[in-house]
Every structure is written in C-alpha cells, then in structure tokens.
Amino acid sequence: MVIKKDGRRERFERQKILQGLLKACEKRPVATPKLEAIVDESKAWCRSPRTRADHHEIGEMIMHRLKKLDKVAYVRFASVYMDFKTCRSS
C-alpha cells in the first residue's frame, strides 16, 4: 500500500507511475526499458518488509533514478510531482 499526500491508502499502480515517467521523457533519448526498470525497482522497494510506503519516499526514489538518466525529464517529472506553481512577475 502507498500512503498518499492526503492520507489515503492506495494500491501501488505500476502503470500510473510508468505513464508519468513516459510523459516526462517525451521526445527525450530515454529507453522505455530503463523507465520500466525504475518502476520495477520502486515496486520491489514497496514490497520489501515494509507494510506501507509513503508517497514522498517513492517519489524521491524515482526522481533520484530519473535524474541520473536525463536531467530534462527529471525536471519535468519533479515539476508535476512537487506541484510547482508558475510565478508571474508584476
């Protein structure tokens, strides 16, 4: 189980994470098998002797792995994951 930001518990959804990674890597030279490996590693981590995993821990692990593959994709993923807001100058 994954503990979401609002406290809800949700089943680990491999496809949901993979889709987010694919979107972040759109038009980037990152092979899909490498993204699938990140998702598989995240799922294995969640299944380790832990009974639950925090969304923050999973997101940080994914971002760390993605940053090593492609910095542009990392920024794209982080901007959605961390809910960056657009700042406007006056």
Side-chain angles (χ1 to χ4, degrees), residues 44-90:
W45 182 82
C46 288
R47 286 187 170 180
S48 66
R50 308 172 67 94
T51 55
R52 56 193 171 143
D54 184 86
H55 75 94
H56 180 73
E57 293 172 307
I58 297 167
E60 290 293 324
M61 183 175 61
I62 291 170
M63 286 192 305
H64 178 74
R65 304 296 189 280
L66 189 56
K67 189 175 186 179
K68 290 180 180 180
L69 287 179
D70 188 280
K71 294 205 186 319
V72 171
Y74 160 75
V75 170
R76 289 177 180 171
F77 185 86
S79 69
V80 173
Y81 169 72
M82 299 176 91
D83 195 22
F84 290 165
K85 305 289 185 206
T86 304
C87 297
R88 296 182 186 195
S89 302
S90 303

Side-chain angles (χ1 to χ4, degrees), residues 9-21:
R9 293 171 190 256
E10 192 175 281
R11 190 172 58 87
F12 182 93
E13 293 185 41
R14 183 183 192 286
Q15 195 59 32
K16 185 176 177 181
I17 294 172
L18 182 58
Q19 288 301 320
L21 288 171

